[in-house]
């Protein structure tokens, strides 16, 4: 209940700000100082984003989707799902078992951490789907990315070296 009251009070102060006379009526304090005096401090310390080797740790997986049929062949077992490949990537400095870790980290840095980017590359219109996943942390921000690309060319064009393994 106390939080709701404080939130309502802060909202009322912000809405009334244009109607308040000059700072002289608030005892010389600026409106942000008045609001800061009314609102409680955060419950715990505000921690900066981690820097250094722990700042970027991603687990990257590439796999072709499994068979699209639900009918089992009469002459044997169902076809096996293709094997996936998984690597780890760390940046600052580039490390992990990703074969192009430095290039992948540079691509992520250039895109501000975005794994999928726009591309003007022309890829053949062959549907040979590739599923990818990225889980972990980039520069202290959680990452959970999953997408199916039409083929390996589209994957390479849209993700650069991130999934090049």
């Amino acid at each position: 209940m106390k939080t709701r009251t404080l939130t309502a009070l802060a909202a009322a102060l912000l809405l009334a700000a244009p109607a308040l006379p000059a700072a002289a009526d608030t005892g010389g304090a600026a409106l942000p100082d008045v609001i800061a005096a009314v609102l409680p401090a955060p419950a715990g310390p505000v921690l900066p984003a981690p820097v250094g080797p722990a700042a970027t740790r991603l687990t990257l997986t590439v796999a072709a989707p499994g068979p699209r049929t639900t009918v089992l062949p009469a002459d044997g077992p169902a076809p096996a799902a293709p094997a996936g490949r998984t690597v780890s990537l760390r940046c600052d400095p580039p490390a992990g078992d990703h074969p192009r870790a430095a290039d992948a980290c540079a691509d992520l840095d250039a895109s501000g951490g975005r794994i999928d980017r726009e591309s003007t590359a022309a890829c053949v219109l062959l549907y040979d789907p590739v599923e990818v996943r990225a889980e972990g942390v980039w520069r202290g921000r959680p990452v959970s990315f999953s997408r199916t690309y039409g083929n390996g060319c589209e994957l390479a064009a849209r993700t650069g070296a991130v999934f090049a393994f």
Side-chain angles (χ1 to χ4, degrees), residues 141-163:
R141 293 188 342 225
V143 172
S144 181
F145 175 84
S146 178
R147 179 151 182 200
T148 301
Y149 292 94
N151 56 41
C153 175
E154 182 185 6
L155 170 67
R158 306 252 338 208
T159 64
V162 175
F163 289 104

Side-chain angles (χ1 to χ4, degrees), residues 19-86:
L20 287 177
D25 288 349
T26 60
L31 184 60
D33 296 331
V34 173
I35 293 172
V38 173
L39 295 178
V46 178
L47 301 174
V51 293
T56 298
R57 291 183 185 273
L58 295 173
T59 300
L60 306 168
T61 304
V62 175
R68 292 191 198 332
T69 181
T70 57
V71 178
L72 296 176
D75 58 344
R85 299 178 312 271
T86 300

Side-chain angles (χ1 to χ4, degrees), residues 53 56-62 85-91 93-102 104-105 108 133-137 161-165:
T56 298
R57 291 183 185 273
L58 295 173
T59 300
L60 306 168
T61 304
V62 175
R85 299 178 312 271
T86 300
V87 299
S88 64
L89 173 67
R90 292 189 305 276
C91 298
D97 54 357
H98 192 297
R100 296 180 55 196
C105 291
L108 287 169
R133 282 186 310 280
E135 299 286 334
V137 177
V162 175
F163 289 104
F165 54 87

